[in-house]
């Protein structure tokens, strides 16, 4: 029999498809209405099981390797897990804090490099846009756009290990996952 790919989702609240307090989402059943993208991604891919969540609300990419990430949602846990692919949506809190694009891209590249070392594949979703509820949304969006460009350019060096998904452009144009092609 063919087993589905086991997927983990890494990032901040934007990747929190389950509001559970543990890494293991099997049997959780606590679907977050606000953040459904992990479920949509798995559904679109087909034979993928959403098995682990490393989403931490409010987290910053600068803390990707912190042993203090909430409820054991640490890189050490991801590194030793049996997941096949890691979906990353991460960095928006850094942009709101004003972290420079090159610095943020460095954090993301360090995370991804360590994921590669563990033999897992990566799907990196561009950092989603921010809007008017964010007090510095114009400045944050400039950082987001620059970071996305840096990440897209860097990830082309890893065609067998990673995929860059540009959902940000669709969202900026008023689209949704349903309109992404």
């Amino acid at each position: 029999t063919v087993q589905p790919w086991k997927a983990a989702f890494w990032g901040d609240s934007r990747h929190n498809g389950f509001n559970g307090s543990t890494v293991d989402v099997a049997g959780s059943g606590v679907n977050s209405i606000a953040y459904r993208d992990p479920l949509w991604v798995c559904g679109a891919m087909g034979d993928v099981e959403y098995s682990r969540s490393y989403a931490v609300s409010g987290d910053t990419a600068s803390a990707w390797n912190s042993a203090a990430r909430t409820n054991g949602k640490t890189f050490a846990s991801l590194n030793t897990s049996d997941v096949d692919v890691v979906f990353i949506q991460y960095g928006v809190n850094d942009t709101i804090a004003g972290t420079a694009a090159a610095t943020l891209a460095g954090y993301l590249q360090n995370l991804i490099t360590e994921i590669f070392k563990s033999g897992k594949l990566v799907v990196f979703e561009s950092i989603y846009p921010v809007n008017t509820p964010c007090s510095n949304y114009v400045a944050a969006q400039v950082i987001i756009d620059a970071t996305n460009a840096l990440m897209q350019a860097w990830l082309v060096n890893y065609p067998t290990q990673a995929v860059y998904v540009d959902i940000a452009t669709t969202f900026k144009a008023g689209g949704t996952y349903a309109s992404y092609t």
Side-chain angles (χ1 to χ4, degrees):
T1 61
V2 176
Q3 298 294 317
W5 285 50
K6 289 185 179 178
F9 287 77
W10 183 281
D12 49 43
S13 62
R14 290 180 173 200
H15 241 0
N16 197 7
F18 285 86
N19 287 327
S21 60
T22 66
V23 174
D24 189 0
V25 299
S28 171
V30 186
N31 180 23
S32 170
I33 298 303
Y35 303 106
R36 295 171 284 197
D37 60 310
L39 302 172
W40 289 336
V41 169
C42 287
M45 289 185 69
D47 201 14
V48 177
E49 175 186 327
Y50 178 14
S51 64
R52 303 186 64 79
S53 173
Y54 295 91
V56 176
S57 182
D59 197 33
T60 59
S62 62
W64 73 267
N65 200 19
S66 171
R69 285 184 99 232
T70 304
N71 298 316
K73 295 182 176 191
T74 64
F75 182 78
S77 173
L78 172 68
N79 190 38
T80 59
S81 74
D82 64 349
V83 300
D84 304 300
V85 60
V86 181
F87 294 81
I88 300 171
Q89 171 49 238
Y90 207 26
V92 72
N93 295 315
D94 299 85
T95 69
I96 293 168
T99 302
T103 301
L104 176 53
Y107 297 141
L108 296 168
Q109 291 166 8
N110 288 339
L111 166 64
I112 292 168
T113 298
E114 292 304 313
I115 292 171
F116 290 162
K117 289 178 184 178
S118 71
K120 296 165 181 46
L121 302 175
V122 169
V123 175
F124 181 85
E125 285 188 282
S126 54
I127 302 169
Y128 303 164
V130 292
N131 55 31
T132 52
C134 171
S135 62
N136 63 337
Y137 74 96
V138 173
Q141 192 58 53
V142 169
I143 297 168
I144 289 169
D145 291 342
T147 303
N148 285 341
L150 289 168
M151 292 305 296
Q152 185 173 24
W154 182 74
L155 286 168
V156 298
N157 296 301
Y158 305 96
T160 62
Q161 295 169 283
V163 174
Y164 177 88
V165 179
D166 181 16
I167 193 71
T169 299
T170 300
F171 283 170
K172 284 171 52 176
T176 65
Y177 267 99
S179 61
Y180 179 74
T181 57

